[in-house]
Amino acid sequence: MATLVHGGRVLRSDTFTTELLDIVLEGEEIADVVPSGSIRGEGLHKIDAFDRLVIPGLVNGHHHAQAQLIKGRFDAINLELLLNGQRWGNGHRTLEDKYLSALIGAAELVRKGCTASFDMFAEIPLPTPEGVEAVARAYSDVGMRATIAPMMADRSFYEAIPGLADSLPEPLRRQALAVKSAPGEASLAACRQILGGWRFDRARIRPALGPTIPHHCSDAFLTGCRDLAREFDVGFQMHVSESRLQAVVAARIYGKSLVAHLDSLGMLGPRFCVAHGVWLDEDDRRRLGDRGASVSHNPGSNLKLGSGVADIRRMLDRGVNVAIGTDGTSASDNLNVFEAMRLASYLSRVQDHPVERWITAREALRAATEGGARALGLERIGRIEKGYLADLVFLDLAALHYVPVNDIVAQLVFGEDGTGVDRVMVGGRLILDKGRLLNVDLPRMRAQAEEAVARLATANSENLALAQALAPHVGRFCSGLALSPLSMNRFCGHQGGSHA
Ligand SMILES: [Zn+2]
C-alpha cells in the first residue's frame, strides 16, 4: 500500500527552502511531492507530519564501525598516538564484538538523524568475510544504509613512518617491529572473497575498499586494490593528508603529495573518497576535482586530534564533491552529523576567506545530504524528490532551537543537535519513532557492550602496556617530524596562515 506523509514542512532540495508539502511513498521510493492537502489520500497509509520539519536523512561521509567499544578512552592525543593505540583498542575482537560495535554506532547515528554512513571498518590483522558481513548485518538490522570499506594496510604504523622505528630504544624497537600488518596479497584475497560473495542489496549496503593511508600501503598493494575495485565496480575511501606529519612523510617518500602519488597510480576517480584532506594544496584540489573525486570533511575529528582545518571552500572552487563526516568515536566521540555540519560551516570562517566566501548553512546542508550521497555511491538518496529513495528525518518544530522560527534552514544547521529528531525513515520504513529505535534492543546492547569491554580489557592488556610504553617516544618523534619544513607556500592560507 502507498503511504502519504502529510502536513509536514518539507525541505526542498532545489531551493533549500521549506514548504508545506505532502509526500507520496510507493515501496522504497518517493512517488510524488505535492502541495499539502492536494491529495485526499483515501486508501493510503497515512503518516502525520504536522508540526514536523521533514528533511532528507543525513549522510555520514566517514566513520569506523570498530571504534565504539573504545569510546571515551582517548583524550589529548593526535592521529599518530591514536594509530599507536590501534592494536590495543581493536585487538582480540570476536565476531560478536564486531557486530556489536557496528550496532552501537549505527544506533547512535540513526538516533541523531543519520540514515547512511561510509564506514571504514578495521579488523586486525586483515579483513575477513565474516567480519565485514557482521558489520553489514548490524547496519541492516538497525535499518540504515552503509558503504563498508574494509580498512587495510600492508605496512605497520611503525614501518610506515620513516625513521620512527630506529628512533625507539630497545627492546621497544624490536617489539614495535614485531607488530605486523597482513601481507597485501592476503588482504586482496580476502577482499576478493568479500566482494565476490556480497549478498546484501547494494542499494542498501554496498562494499568498497579502504587501503587506509597511502604510505601505510605499498604501491603494489594500492594498485592491487585499484584493479580489484575496477573488477567489482566498487569505490574507495582512504585517509589522505589528514595530519601535517602525513604531508611531511609524503614529500620524503614520494617527493610529491599523497594525492599526486595516488593520481600517478591511477587511483583517483569519481568512486574515490578522501577522508579528511586537511593538508591539501591547490594542485591536490585540482587533481581531485578534475577526477571527480570526493572528500569527506570531518571537522570534529580534525579538531580533536589537532590535525587542522580542511579548506572546503577551496575544494568546492575546484569542483571537488564535499561530504561531511563524524569519523569514529575515538576521534570525535558523539557521531552527530548535525554537529559536524555546523562545525563545517563555522570553521570556514576562521580561515583566510572573506565573509562572502564562508560556507553558509545551506552549503553545509547540501554537503551533509547530496554530497554524502555521491561520496557513498548512493545517488538516489539525499533529496526529497520524485524518484529518490524515501530516507526521511522528521524534526519536531516544538524543539526549543526552532522557537521562534525565522529561517528554518539556518536554525536546522546551526541549532539542531539531534534532540529534535522525532522519526527516521529509511526506504519508506520507520526505524525510529518518537525518538525510539524500533529495531534495537537497547538494554541488551548495553549489557553486551559492558561485558565486551571488560573482557577485551583483559585480553588486550599486553597490547595496552606496549602502546603506553611506546606513546612518549612515538609522540616525541612524530611531533618533531611533523614540524619539519614543508614547502609551505603550497599550503598558504588554508590553515589561517598559522604556519606560514
Ligand atoms: Zn578515519
Side-chain angles (χ1 to χ4, degrees):
M1 191 201 301
T3 299
L4 185 68
V5 177
H6 65 98
R9 182 161 284 281
V10 177
L11 180 79
R12 288 183 51 159
S13 300
D14 49 353
T15 55
F16 280 85
T17 55
T18 62
E19 277 175 41
L20 290 172
L21 296 168
D22 291 350
I23 307 169
V24 184
L25 311 179
E26 271 172 26
E28 295 215 349
E29 273 189 28
I30 297 170
D32 215 348
V33 183
V34 298
S36 193
S38 61
I39 292 180
R40 293 193 50 198
E42 281 162 5
L44 297 184
H45 172 63
K46 288 188 185 171
I47 294 179
D48 184 4
F50 174 73
D51 211 21
R52 298 290 178 270
L53 170 62
V54 185
I55 64 167
L58 300 181
V59 182
N60 186 8
H62 181 59
H63 174 54
H64 294 283
Q66 75 277 5
Q68 277 59 248
L69 293 181
I70 42 171
K71 195 180 279 181
R73 296 303 301 268
F74 299 101
D75 183 347
I77 55 157
N78 59 20
L79 174 68
E80 285 69 37
L81 289 169
L82 184 65
L83 294 173
N84 176 59
Q86 215 177 26
R87 190 155 288 249
W88 155 65
N90 303 328
H92 294 103
R93 298 278 180 95
T94 64
L95 204 53
E96 290 72 31
D97 295 333
K98 293 169 189 174
Y99 173 85
L100 180 64
S101 188
L103 188 77
I104 296 168
E108 185 169 359
L109 285 167
V110 169
R111 181 64 192 84
K112 296 173 183 174
C114 172
T115 53
S117 187
F118 206 140
D119 194 319
M120 284 183 82
F121 164 56
E123 292 178 85
I124 293 175
L126 81 171
T128 65
E130 312 78 60
V132 175
E133 198 266 349
V135 170
R137 198 156 32 82
Y139 278 107
S140 177
D141 287 353
V142 173
M144 265 183 87
R145 296 183 206 277
T147 298
I148 302 169
M151 183 170 125
M152 306 171 281
D154 65 344
R155 291 178 187 142
S156 75
F157 167 64
Y158 310 101
E159 294 166 335
I161 310 300
L164 171 58
D166 287 339
S167 78
L168 301 171
E170 292 293 0
L172 286 175
R173 193 188 75 92
R174 193 167 34 78
Q175 290 172 295
L177 287 175
V179 173
K180 289 289 176 201
S181 283
E185 307 81 69
S187 292
L188 288 171
C191 286
R192 174 171 289 284
Q193 237 186 314
I194 290 163
L195 299 175
W198 198 256
R199 64 175 187 83
F200 294 88
D201 173 4
R202 282 181 178 221
R204 281 252 168 189
I205 318 265
R206 62 171 49 205
L209 295 176
T212 180
I213 298 170
H215 50 281
H216 292 220
C217 302
S218 65
D219 287 355
F221 180 52
L222 287 174
T223 52
C225 288
R226 176 200 66 195
D227 295 344
L228 199 61
R230 280 185 194 154
E231 185 182 337
F232 286 93
D233 190 26
V234 299
F236 275 104
Q237 189 165 77
M238 295 181 73
H239 299 94
V240 181
S241 305
E242 176 174 353
S243 66
R244 192 176 195 278
L245 178 93
Q246 293 185 349
V248 169
V249 167
R252 292 216 176 170
I253 299 181
Y254 305 121
K256 51 185 146 184
S257 74
L258 294 178
V259 169
H261 180 63
L262 292 170
D263 200 16
S264 73
L265 296 179
M267 304 282 292
L268 305 182
R271 312 293 294 277
F272 190 92
C273 181
V274 163
H276 300 285
V278 177
W279 293 86
L280 302 178
D281 63 19
E282 200 53 32
D283 178 64
D284 295 334
R285 289 187 283 264
R286 181 185 56 75
R287 286 174 194 271
L288 292 169
D290 289 352
R291 305 274 180 230
S294 299
V295 171
S296 175
H297 175 37
N298 315 311
S301 167
N302 296 339
L303 288 174
K304 184 182 180 191
L305 301 181
S307 303
V309 182
D311 191 336
I312 60 173
R313 169 58 69 203
R314 287 188 169 90
M315 293 180 203
L316 293 169
D317 288 344
R318 290 293 187 176
V320 178
N321 176 54
V322 174
I324 289 176
T326 60
D327 207 345
T329 43
S330 310
S332 74
D333 301 278
N334 66 359
L335 301 186
N336 192 328
V337 184
F338 286 112
E339 182 188 84
M341 181 163 65
R342 179 166 55 90
L343 287 175
S345 177
Y346 283 3
L347 280 171
S348 71
R349 299 156 192 224
V350 299
Q351 298 178 303
D352 63 337
H353 297 299
V355 175
E356 61 273 16
R357 280 172 54 78
W358 290 358
I359 299 295
T360 63
R362 284 163 172 82
E363 288 178 301
L365 182 56
R366 183 187 295 277
T369 51
E370 287 168 52
R374 196 171 133 195
L376 267 68
L378 293 167
E379 275 83 6
R380 288 175 69 216
I381 61 169
R383 290 171 78 96
I384 301 178
E385 264 176 34
K386 186 175 175 174
Y388 277 73
L389 294 165
D391 294 5
L392 307 175
V393 172
F394 298 65
L395 299 159
D396 185 352
L397 289 171
L400 289 169
H401 37 274
Y402 300 112
V403 180
V405 169
N406 284 306
D407 178 335
I408 205 164
V409 176
Q411 285 168 265
L412 162 73
V413 175
F414 297 146
E416 182 58 71
D417 56 1
T419 55
V421 176
D422 176 48
R423 282 173 160 160
V424 176
M425 174 185 277
V426 173
R429 193 166 67 98
L430 280 178
I431 61 173
L432 180 108
D433 192 21
K434 298 187 177 61
R436 199 173 63 82
L437 288 152
L438 297 181
N439 306 320
V440 185
D441 182 344
L442 286 179
R444 181 158 178 263
M445 183 179 87
R446 200 173 157 201
Q448 287 174 329
E450 298 297 341
E451 181 280 322
V453 163
R455 172 170 41 77
L456 290 168
T458 308
N460 284 308
S461 57
E462 275 183 32
N463 288 340
L464 173 61
L466 180 58
Q468 284 175 330
L470 283 166
H473 302 282
V474 169
R476 231 180 349 261
F477 180 85
C478 290
S479 298
L481 183 57
L483 290 174
S484 312
L486 271 171
S487 50
M488 290 320 300
N489 46 355
R490 285 176 38 212
F491 295 93
C492 225
H494 94 306
Q495 301 277 301
S498 57
H499 58 256

